[in-house]
Amino acid sequence: QVQLVESGGGLVQPGGSLRLSCAASGFTFSRYAMSWYRQAVGKERELVAAITIAGGSTKYADSVKGRFTISRDNAKNAVYLQMNSLKAEDTAVYFCNARRVADLTHYNYWGQGTQVTVSS
């Protein structure tokens, strides 16, 4: 059974930091590109950050560049999102995503999300 379980969300003041974690199980984690998405109330889900299977390449939304860092630990089947200098506009539900294309088949898994609220 495929599972992606996010943790680490919560309430933080502007300028603060949070570290999100996503624990994966039920699939071969090291074969999947991993991403973090977020969805604010009334807005579409958007890509925040992505990392390749070995962690050699990363990609960030312009709005979080220089503040957020994505990383992964294939030995622990986990992906992380370090969020610094948080702003009110970072408030959203953050989702972990695993994606792979093999033999023309797309594999795409989502976690249940974790709420991040940035407010004073």
Side-chain angles (χ1 to χ4, degrees):
Q1 180 183 1
V2 172
Q3 280 195 311
L4 292 172
V5 180
E6 300 96 336
S7 61
L11 174 64
V12 63
Q13 292 187 342
S17 298
L18 282 176
R19 188 190 193 216
L20 304 184
S21 299
C22 173
S25 61
F27 62 99
T28 306
F29 179 79
S30 60
R31 295 182 181 177
Y32 283 70
M34 299 299 298
S35 302
W36 287 95
Y37 283 75
R38 68 186 180 187
Q39 187 166 19
V41 174
K43 295 188 177 181
E44 294 186 353
R45 191 172 296 190
E46 63 173 354
L47 176 67
V48 175
I51 189 167
T52 52
I53 57 175
S57 183
T58 57
K59 175 182 177 180
Y60 296 92
D62 287 343
S63 59
V64 307
K65 281 181 182 176
R67 300 188 297 122
F68 290 11
T69 303
I70 188 172
S71 61
R72 66 188 295 163
D73 186 338
N74 286 348
K76 295 183 178 179
N77 288 356
V79 63
Y80 308 99
L81 185 67
Q82 178 66 43
M83 306 186 294
N84 298 329
S85 302
L86 283 161
K87 305 175 181 179
E89 50 263 44
D90 295 318
T91 295
V93 178
Y94 283 72
F95 298 90
C96 178
N97 172 263
R99 187 169 301 170
R100 179 183 180 220
V101 178
D103 299 327
L104 301 180
T105 300
H106 291 253
Y107 300 89
N108 192 27
Y109 306 131
W110 292 93
Q112 82 290 347
T114 186
Q115 176 70 47
V116 171
T117 302
V118 184
S119 175
S120 55

